[in-house]
Amino acid sequence: MWEIDNLSQLFGFLYSAVLGCIYCTVYDALRALRAEIKFGTVAVFVTDVLYSFVCAVTCFCFLLAVSMGQPRAFVFVGIGTGFVLSRLTVSRVFFFVFLKIIKAVCFVFKWASAILSRFFALIGAQTERLIKKVQKICILSLNTLKKHLKKK
């Protein structure tokens, strides 16, 4: 059986605690996104399932790297410890920062959307005027052709 020495277990525990902190940080970003953009219950369910899937896959890859794929208790305890410590200490700061970033991005998109909608409305109005002028020219040309054909 493959054995892990104490130093490897300690580093594995610390790495898994960092991974737990990363999981918490990603979840804080997801929470901030939900706070700014109102998600429906189906969207919340889908994002939670995607988050859980990503966490499960990365945890499996981490287990492969740390303990050759064998589930070791210190890895799961480390991930849980890192998540809880991050949630209790820096989670509020990260949530606040992510919320401000998402608000700024939403503001930029709303501003760009307003400018683009005005631009396309202007283009649409000019296009309508151009179409009306082309229609008048076509009608005049058609009437002129009819008059010339009747004379012959």
Side-chain angles (χ1 to χ4, degrees), residues 23-147:
Y23 287 163
C24 186
T25 304
V26 171
Y27 195 72
D28 286 338
L30 186 61
R31 280 184 22 209
L33 186 66
R34 289 180 187 166
E36 183 59 29
I37 302 169
K38 301 302 179 207
F39 281 30
T41 54
V42 174
V44 169
F45 175 75
V46 169
T47 56
D48 279 344
V49 168
L50 284 173
Y51 172 78
S52 299
F53 178 74
V54 169
C55 288
V57 169
T58 56
C59 184
F60 176 73
C61 293
F62 182 76
L63 278 171
L64 287 176
V66 169
S67 63
M68 298 296 184
Q70 294 179 352
R72 301 281 181 160
F74 68 87
V75 173
F76 296 111
V77 170
I79 291 172
T81 301
F83 190 93
V84 169
L85 285 177
S86 179
R87 183 83 172 104
L88 294 175
T89 57
V90 294
S91 182
R92 289 184 183 180
V93 174
F94 283 144
F95 179 76
F96 178 76
V97 169
F98 289 138
L99 194 61
K100 292 298 181 185
I101 290 170
I102 291 170
K103 282 184 180 185
V105 168
C106 286
F107 175 76
V108 167
F109 276 119
K110 286 178 185 177
W111 181 75
S113 171
I115 288 175
L116 287 175
S117 67
R118 288 180 185 155
F119 175 72
F120 286 120
L122 179 66
I123 288 176
Q126 296 298 326
T127 304
E128 285 181 26
R129 285 185 13 193
L130 182 64
I131 288 173
K132 287 180 183 179
K133 287 183 180 182
V134 168
Q135 283 176 343
K136 286 181 182 179
I137 291 171
C138 288
I139 290 172
L140 284 172
S141 300
L142 183 65
N143 288 338
T144 306
L145 280 174
K146 283 183 184 179
K147 286 181 186 178

